[in-house]
Amino acid sequence: GSAQNDLPFGSDATICVLIGPAATLSHVFTVPAGQPDSTSLTVRGIGFGNGFYTITTAAIDLRAGSGHNIGGNAFGGYLPTSGALLGALSRGVFLGGTSKNATIGGADADRNYFGNLSQNAIVVNLTYDTPSGHIIRNNYIGVRPDGLTAQANSADGISSSNGAEVLIDKNTIVASDYGISLLSGTKNYTLTRNNIGVNALGIGNAALPNNVGIAVGLGSGGHTIGAAPLQNLQTGTYSNFISNNNGDGILLSADAGALNSIRGNAIFSNGKGGSGIGIDLGGTLAQLAND
């Protein structure tokens, strides 16, 4: 009776296999460190929850290998279609070590759902800064599978430290601490077409804000947030939609690295918590002159 989603907005998926551990575990599925690039893991159409016990690291823990595909799963929160509550979870997916070329999400049938997590939904913490080729695309983070209603996370939507050349594209990220955080050791990430602080229809309400939309700090640099340098967007279009967040839309802290590009985004109506601007360079909350 299981079925994958075929809707461009929301979800009509039916997930019939649910995993909640019968003892405290580090993970449910893993590719451990030391595995060769020929090792790959595919996980599709499964619901993950803590049950009466805890998954301490992440439901899926990828430390090595290449070509992983994680799609159509629900991590904590509510199931699509039935609306049944999976319960709390710590983290959904951990991309670490020497893992390469993982796709988390993808087409509409491959969209993952992350909600009610006690820590970050997706973590990227690689061993070194060689290009990883990871793609995080078209996931709902902090929003129920209907694409509309918040299911808040206690920490970041996507949290990154170390690693290079990761694509974060077309995700809806709400009701988290930082929607996306790019911290020490991250280089040359590309963030495009994400809804940050608003639901999958681009609508914000009081339950949906992140505390900060996107944060870059601790020497992290070389990132493209929106349109690439020299890329022209068509009139009336934009890349990331960043609105309705409690603090800054985009925060480049005073210790952020160089060569970060912020172009072609729709950024407005942030600072809902009383303090915050669209693009905050240096964390001063000073509105700088437009160039």
Side-chain angles (χ1 to χ4, degrees):
S2 63
Q4 64 186 18
N5 173 55
D6 62 2
L7 300 178
F9 165 81
S11 178
D12 61 356
T14 300
I15 295 177
C16 295
V17 177
L18 314 177
I19 297 179
T24 297
L25 300 174
S26 171
H27 51 262
V28 176
F29 294 106
T30 187
V31 176
Q35 292 295 307
D37 286 351
S38 58
T39 302
S40 66
L41 175 69
T42 296
V43 181
R44 294 182 55 82
I46 294 179
F48 297 91
N50 273 342
F52 294 105
Y53 294 91
T54 301
I55 300 169
T56 57
T57 298
I60 299 176
D61 185 6
L62 302 174
R63 305 285 175 137
S66 181
H68 312 298
N69 192 307
I70 311 301
N73 305 289
F75 298 89
Y78 292 86
L79 282 173
T81 309
S82 72
L85 185 62
L86 282 166
L89 194 66
S90 55
R91 301 179 188 92
V93 177
F94 188 98
L95 296 170
T98 61
S99 62
K100 301 180 185 72
N101 302 316
T103 298
I104 312 302
D108 296 328
D110 301 319
R111 182 185 298 130
N112 297 294
Y113 312 93
F114 299 83
N116 195 26
L117 303 178
S118 62
Q119 298 190 46
N120 308 307
I122 299 173
V123 176
V124 183
N125 186 6
L126 302 171
T127 301
Y128 44 78
D129 61 4
T130 56
S132 70
H134 293 316
I135 297 172
I136 302 172
R137 173 173 285 151
N138 196 21
N139 301 286
Y140 285 178
I141 299 175
V143 64
R144 294 188 190 185
D146 64 10
L148 300 173
T149 313
Q151 49 177 7
N153 299 315
S154 297
D156 300 347
I158 300 174
S159 177
S160 299
S161 57
N162 296 323
E165 297 190 19
V166 175
L167 174 62
I168 301 175
D169 176 56
K170 204 180 177 183
N171 303 282
T172 295
I173 307 174
V174 302
S176 301
D177 187 8
Y178 292 174
I180 301 172
S181 62
L182 305 176
L183 303 177
S184 58
T186 56
K187 296 181 180 179
N188 304 331
Y189 279 45
T190 300
L191 280 58
T192 57
R193 301 190 300 170
N194 299 288
N195 281 350
I196 300 177
V198 294
N199 63 27
L201 285 181
I203 300 170
N205 61 46
L208 294 173
N210 303 293
N211 286 328
V212 172
I214 298 171
V216 182
L218 298 176
S220 176
H223 305 304
T224 298
I225 301 174
L230 304 182
Q231 176 189 359
N232 292 318
L233 295 176
Q234 293 183 350
T235 301
T237 66
Y238 54 84
S239 183
N240 298 294
F241 185 10
I242 305 167
S243 183
N244 191 53
N245 295 291
N246 287 326
D248 295 324
I250 299 176
L251 168 63
L252 267 66
S253 65
D255 59 4
L259 302 177
N260 293 298
S261 174
I262 303 171
R263 300 179 65 249
N265 305 287
I267 308 172
F268 60 90
S269 296
N270 295 288
K272 295 287 187 178
S275 177
I277 61 176
I279 302 173
D280 187 355
L281 302 181
T284 63
L285 293 174
Q287 187 72 54
L288 303 180
N290 185 50
D291 183 359

